[in-house]
């Protein structure tokens, strides 16, 4: 699987299949950006220095907390705030910041680049296809919701029923971004974020112009 510009000139996958993982998507983004570099050094409107939210996912928080539960709890308390995701109707955590991201330097370097949030890793500032955006958003929402669940699990004595419900999200306490897109789509269907027809569409191979 790779990312390329489709016939409309938008970033798209050539194909995904039932074995494609989130990590495959992230690797494809890195390769795409290597082949189609953005001029970030010259960028006057750095995306990391804008007022929009930096959404934080569980794997990023766990990496920055060295996989220590207490440190993760403190990290969330000190650095993040809850913000409603109106599109998907759930509370998510975002970085507590004014305008610039707390991790960007004057010279536009990300100080947590290797551990940066998944939403930053999936960001490409070129025109994107509907399919790219849907998959990006479903992956992001799954990992964002996993952080909310993990935080509650660390803070509370939850019932077994609630814990089992949270664990339907396979990103909960995931060690990395290596879960299958199929699992992301299963969860998205469960949550009512995706219907079966749209799910089938996501697997369609794109036809390139000869
Ligand atoms: S990714 Fe961000 S910093 Fe780089 S060119 Fe695009 S907007 Fe500018
Ligand atoms: S975490 Fe890094 S890549 Fe993401 S917005 Fe902040 S500085 Fe930019």
């Amino acid at each position: 699987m790779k990312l390329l510009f489709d016939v409309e000139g938008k970033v798209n996958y050539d194909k995904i299949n039932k074995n494609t993982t989130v990590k495959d998507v992230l690797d494809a983004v890195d390769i795409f950006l290597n082949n189609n570099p953005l001029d970030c050094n010259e960028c006057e409107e750095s995306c990391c220095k804008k007022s929009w939210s930096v959404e934080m996912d569980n794997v990023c928080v766990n990496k920055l907390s060295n996989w220590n539960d207490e440190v993760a709890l403190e990290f969330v308390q000190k650095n993040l705030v809850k913000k409603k995701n109106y599109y998907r109707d759930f509370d998510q955590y975002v970085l507590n910041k004014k305008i610039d991201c707390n991790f960007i330097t004057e010279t536009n370097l990300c100080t947590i680049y290797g551990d940066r949030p998944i939403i930053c890793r999936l960001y490409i500032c070129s025109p994107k296809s509907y399919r790219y955006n849907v998959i990006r958003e479903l992956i992001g929402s799954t990992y964002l919701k996993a952080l909310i669940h993990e935080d509650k699990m660390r803070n509370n004595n939850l019932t077994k029923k609630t814990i089992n419900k949270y664990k339907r999200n396979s990103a909960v306490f995931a060690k990395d971004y290596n879960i299958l897109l199929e699992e992301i789509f299963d969860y998205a269907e469960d949550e009512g974020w995706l219907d079966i027809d749209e799910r089938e569409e996501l697997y369609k191979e794109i036809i390139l112009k000869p």
Side-chain angles (χ1 to χ4, degrees):
M1 185 269 290
K2 56 180 180 292
L3 283 173
L4 33 75
F5 287 108
D6 63 18
V7 285
E8 289 176 15
K10 293 179 175 172
V11 179
N12 209 333
Y13 307 93
D14 57 346
K15 58 185 168 206
I16 57 167
N17 62 41
K18 310 275 171 178
N19 296 319
T20 307
T21 64
V22 174
K23 177 151 188 328
D24 294 332
V25 174
L26 296 175
D27 290 346
V29 172
D30 289 346
I31 292 169
F32 177 83
L33 289 174
N34 267 336
N35 295 337
N36 303 277
L38 305 165
D39 209 356
C40 297
N41 291 338
E42 301 299 317
C43 181
E44 288 177 6
E45 294 238 324
S46 167
C47 47
C48 309
K49 292 184 173 173
K50 286 193 170 170
S51 57
W52 57 38
S53 300
V54 176
E55 300 168 323
M56 297 294 283
D57 62 272
N58 62 323
V59 176
C60 169
V61 168
N62 289 332
K63 283 183 174 175
L64 296 178
S65 310
N66 287 323
W67 303 97
N68 178 304
D69 280 345
E70 277 176 31
V71 181
L73 267 174
E74 205 181 308
F75 181 93
V76 170
Q77 253 176 22
K78 280 193 178 159
N79 301 292
L80 310 187
V81 284
K82 273 193 182 149
K83 186 178 176 191
K84 184 101 182 157
N85 181 323
Y86 285 103
Y87 186 50
R88 294 298 183 200
D89 194 25
F90 67 87
D91 283 338
Q92 63 186 46
Y93 278 117
V94 300
L95 210 54
N96 190 5
K97 68 183 184 75
K98 293 202 168 74
I99 297 177
D100 297 2
C101 174
N102 305 347
F103 299 115
I104 194 77
T105 67
E106 275 300 304
T107 50
N108 285 352
L109 289 176
C110 171
T111 55
I112 56 161
Y113 193 75
D115 298 334
R116 68 199 186 284
I118 192 165
I119 218 72
C120 303
R121 295 183 67 172
L122 290 166
Y123 182 69
I124 300 175
C125 78
S126 305
K128 291 167 287 293
S129 61
Y130 177 73
R131 181 164 74 146
Y132 183 81
N133 282 333
V134 168
I135 293 178
R136 173 183 193 255
E137 200 271 327
L138 292 178
I139 294 173
S141 294
T142 304
Y143 280 92
L144 293 172
K145 210 159 173 185
L147 176 58
I148 290 286
H149 290 339
E150 284 181 13
D151 198 50
K152 282 191 186 151
M153 288 159 94
R154 286 179 178 126
N155 266 306
N156 292 306
N157 284 325
L158 300 173
T159 63
K160 212 172 169 193
K161 196 173 160 202
T162 307
I163 291 173
N164 287 339
K165 187 174 151 219
Y166 288 174
K167 285 189 172 168
R168 289 205 327 261
N169 177 328
S170 45
V172 166
F173 291 118
K175 287 285 173 210
D176 216 318
Y177 299 114
N178 50 6
I179 63 179
L180 291 169
L181 285 189
E182 267 290 274
E183 292 177 73
I184 300 279
F185 298 161
D186 284 343
Y187 183 64
E189 247 190 80
D190 237 36
E191 292 290 301
W193 299 342
L194 182 69
D195 64 43
I196 188 76
D197 293 342
E198 198 178 6
R199 183 173 178 157
E200 288 309 314
E201 281 292 309
L202 297 176
Y203 284 105
K204 281 205 176 146
E205 194 164 338
I206 60 167
I207 315 288
L208 293 171
K209 265 187 186 164

